[in-house]
Amino acid sequence: MSDLTAPSPQRPQGAGLRIGMFGGAFDPPHWAHRNLAETALKQLGLDQLHILPTGQAWHKTRVLIPAEHRVAMCERAFAGLPHVKVDQREIRRDGPSYTADTLRELAAEYPGAQIFLVLGADQLLAFKTWVRWQEVLQCATLAVANRGVNIGAEAVSDSQVEQDLSGVDIPFTRLDMPLHNLSATAVRAQVQGKSRRYPDLDVLVPEGVARYISEHHLYRHAT
């Protein structure tokens, strides 16, 4: 694991803490990911936010780029945010990465803490397809930010059409943040020259991530 900032030394390890988990492929991380982390830290009053790049993604058919690149980009994407830890446990875990397992581990590491699972509306709508989703609800409060209906490579950046969550029948807490239509798909399309929706890569990803993508020649070819 790599700490971007150390947890507050005045607070106890477990009881009373508010701990966040924000997982994803981060292939690559982009501005919407960073903004969601900022919103969760502020609105949930988190003492620690674990950023967890996915290991073996059971739900994705596309092959992810090597984990070391995704970790390095996360360290750049979330740099400077207080109480954030880029946590590598899922990429080091043998077999598929399941959120329920990670939440159980966090609960054991922070006994008595309140744990929040930070996610976007698109993930919430697919939540009941997750492996052992009932266990996830037992371990954590879902903290959800809405997303645009169209978040593909050709999504219009200023569209205000958001996902309809009125039919969701599981409890969750809403995070209030501006609607983002950015996606990793759009970033990869931009690098591959398949989309010119955005003027340059810095509009999609933090500067450190854009530089890392360029220096390591990532996403030049479709996977």
Side-chain angles (χ1 to χ4, degrees):
M1 300 178 199
S2 54
D3 280 304
L4 297 183
T5 59
S8 171
Q10 290 80 27
R11 298 298 299 273
Q13 179 67 16
L17 292 181
R18 296 168 70 85
I19 305 300
M21 172 185 169
F22 181 15
F26 299 116
D27 192 20
H30 48 71
W31 278 117
H33 289 136
R34 182 182 172 95
N35 291 342
L36 180 49
E38 290 178 311
T39 299
L41 285 164
K42 181 178 179 180
Q43 293 185 18
L44 300 175
L46 299 180
D47 296 284
Q48 189 83 73
L49 175 61
H50 288 251
I51 304 292
L52 288 124
T54 301
Q56 183 180 330
W58 61 271
H59 58 297
K60 287 186 178 292
T61 56
R62 184 180 60 82
V63 177
L64 305 180
I65 66 167
E68 61 266 26
H69 289 311
R70 294 185 287 116
V71 169
M73 288 189 289
C74 281
E75 290 175 340
R76 288 155 175 78
F78 300 101
L81 295 182
H83 311 304
V84 168
K85 172 184 289 186
V86 177
D87 186 333
Q88 300 186 43
R89 77 180 71 207
E90 290 196 353
I91 64 175
R92 292 173 176 168
R93 184 181 295 154
D94 291 332
S97 294
Y98 297 130
T99 299
D101 294 327
T102 303
L103 287 171
R104 293 287 185 193
E105 292 175 3
L106 289 175
E109 292 168 22
Y110 299 98
Q114 184 173 5
I115 299 178
F116 297 87
L117 177 61
V118 178
L119 65 162
D122 53 327
Q123 295 171 304
L124 178 67
L125 291 172
F127 184 76
K128 288 189 177 181
T129 68
W130 291 20
V131 173
R132 292 160 36 219
W133 62 267
Q134 297 94 335
E135 289 185 34
V136 173
L137 290 180
Q138 292 172 3
C139 291
T141 298
L142 305 187
V144 182
N146 216 325
R147 297 193 74 182
V149 171
N150 182 5
I151 56 174
E154 294 301 319
V156 178
S157 61
D158 59 353
S159 172
Q160 296 301 306
V161 180
E162 63 182 22
Q163 298 280 358
D164 180 8
L165 304 181
S166 61
V168 174
D169 60 355
I170 52 178
F172 66 95
T173 296
R174 286 183 181 268
L175 294 174
D176 182 20
M177 63 178 283
L179 194 65
H180 286 286
N181 296 332
L182 300 181
S183 67
T185 300
V187 178
R188 296 191 299 269
Q190 183 82 2
V191 174
Q192 294 163 13
K194 296 179 179 179
S195 172
R196 294 302 175 194
R197 174 70 67 182
Y198 300 92
D200 56 59
L201 201 55
D202 287 348
V203 176
L204 292 163
V205 300
E207 180 181 355
V209 176
R211 187 163 53 248
Y212 188 92
I213 290 173
S214 177
E215 290 173 352
H216 292 269
H217 310 291
L218 302 181
Y219 308 116
R220 297 290 181 84
H221 305 287
T223 56

